Amino acid sequence: MSHSNSTSAIVYAFAANLGIALTKTGAAVWTGSGSLLAEAIHSFADCGNQVLLYIGMKRSARAATQRHPMGYGREAYIWSMMVAITLFSVGGLFSIHEGWLRYHEPQAVENAGIALAILAIAVVLEGFSLRAALGAMENERGERGIWQWFKETQSSELMVVIGEDLAALLGLVIAAAMLGLTMVTGNSLYDAIGSMLIGALLVVVAVLIGREVHSLLLGEADELIRDAVHSYLEKQACVSRVLNIWAVSHGNQVMVAIKAELPADLSVGEAVELINGMEKQIKIDHPRINWVFFEIDNSD
């Protein structure tokens, strides 16, 4: 995915979350709602997360150096992991803690009707942010389902933005439901339970994002590119046998290492010319591939 699409998704998310956070904070103070306070904390955490994602995206685009010859592409994953940790702690655990305190020391919820109206506005703003992020995702998702894309994407920034937006929308639904029950029953414990449920939701989303980003940090294989390159090489008359292929993601770029057997009667010059031609075509077919290392061998 291009950096311009990532930037747009992050900017939309930041603007929406900032407006929502300020609105929720005012409503939480006015009504005394624990669910609304949990949602406000979540939105402020999301604002900080967008800043971290933007920093990570810009730093990952730095040019390669002698010390880092493959560039800084994976740095985006580090900042995305920081976001997952923030979402887990500031967003999730703090909301659970706040709900737990309110459950044991109930506080009256006032002006719940106003709070519900504000939640409705927040749903609309969050929907705009999610729509922008999903639009950016469509550029790279192809025929894959959303869950499959989530498992396979190397665009950690977009993964985080979509995960946060989905969690935010579900959190708003929970907050609205718990406030509604509080209004109907007059029991503020429902509001406290809502805060804990929202916190648990954020913890689950943070763990899912953290697990995927951890895999990217370790160096995740791009199976689609690997299989496509394998298929291409098998069709080449000059390739006797494909022995092994690695296609490892490095940010938005991919490093491909090939081990293949060529006819034994080729001269060195002929082999070099054929390999250069195949490497050039592989890069043309797959623009994300930035490095191709081709090793000639006759054994696995």
Side-chain angles (χ1 to χ4, degrees):
M1 190 188 71
S2 68
H3 280 310
S4 61
N5 286 333
S6 292
T7 302
S8 297
I10 292 172
V11 169
Y12 273 112
F14 178 82
N17 284 320
L18 181 60
I20 293 169
L22 294 173
T23 303
K24 288 176 182 175
T25 300
V29 172
W30 188 13
T31 63
S33 168
S35 293
L36 267 178
L37 180 60
E39 278 295 308
I41 294 168
H42 173 199
S43 294
F44 275 119
D46 283 351
C47 288
N49 289 344
Q50 312 315 320
V51 174
L52 293 177
L53 291 176
Y54 184 79
I55 293 173
M57 185 183 69
K58 290 302 180 183
R59 289 181 63 85
S60 68
R62 289 179 295 167
T65 64
Q66 288 291 332
R67 189 171 185 180
H68 298 92
M70 294 184 69
Y72 296 84
R74 290 191 189 180
E75 184 159 354
Y77 303 152
I78 296 173
W79 291 81
S80 295
M81 180 62 78
M82 291 170 61
V83 169
I85 294 171
T86 301
L87 189 65
F88 180 89
S89 57
V90 178
L93 296 184
F94 189 86
S95 295
I96 292 173
H97 174 70
E98 181 66 22
W100 183 255
L101 291 178
R102 288 175 179 266
Y103 185 83
H104 289 280
E105 298 179 12
Q107 298 182 20
V109 176
E110 301 174 355
N111 301 309
I114 299 296
L116 287 173
I118 291 173
L119 287 175
I121 295 173
V123 167
V124 174
L125 292 175
E126 204 68 70
F128 279 121
S129 175
L130 180 60
R131 181 180 179 183
L134 290 176
M137 180 192 67
E138 289 300 322
N139 293 330
E140 68 165 75
R141 184 167 69 93
E143 299 298 322
R144 293 176 291 178
I146 293 179
W147 179 246
Q148 184 182 3
W149 168 85
F150 180 84
K151 297 282 290 182
E152 297 176 354
T153 185
Q154 285 76 45
S155 302
S156 61
E157 315 96 26
L158 188 55
M159 176 205 305
V160 172
V161 170
I162 290 177
E164 285 183 340
D165 285 348
L166 287 173
L169 282 174
L170 288 174
L172 289 168
V173 171
I174 293 172
M178 292 298 119
L179 274 175
L181 286 172
T182 299
M183 290 176 63
V184 172
T185 64
N187 188 348
S188 61
L189 289 181
Y190 287 109
D191 184 62
I193 293 172
S195 179
M196 288 187 283
L197 289 176
I198 292 169
L201 171 65
L202 296 179
V203 167
V204 170
V205 171
V207 169
L208 290 175
I209 292 174
R211 185 180 64 180
E212 295 305 315
V213 175
H214 175 258
S215 180
L216 291 170
L217 274 169
L218 292 178
E220 192 172 87
D222 191 311
E223 297 179 358
L224 294 177
I225 287 181
R226 182 196 63 197
D227 294 344
V229 172
H230 191 282
S231 178
Y232 165 77
L233 291 174
E234 285 188 326
K235 296 175 183 177
Q236 306 308 303
C238 62
V239 177
S240 303
R241 186 165 53 124
V242 179
L243 300 173
N244 197 7
I245 296 179
W246 285 6
V248 181
S249 296
H250 192 80
N252 285 323
Q253 297 176 326
V254 175
M255 183 276 292
V256 174
I258 300 167
K259 189 177 183 181
E261 181 179 351
L262 302 186
D265 58 353
L266 288 176
S267 68
V268 173
E270 290 172 332
V272 168
E273 184 177 353
L274 289 169
I275 289 172
N276 287 341
M278 287 187 287
E279 289 180 349
K280 181 178 180 181
Q281 188 59 49
I282 287 171
K283 289 183 177 181
I284 291 173
D285 293 341
H286 307 281
R288 287 186 59 228
I289 296 179
N290 195 47
W291 310 274
V292 179
F293 303 102
F294 202 116
E295 178 187 355
I296 302 174
D297 206 340
N298 60 3
S299 64
D300 297 337

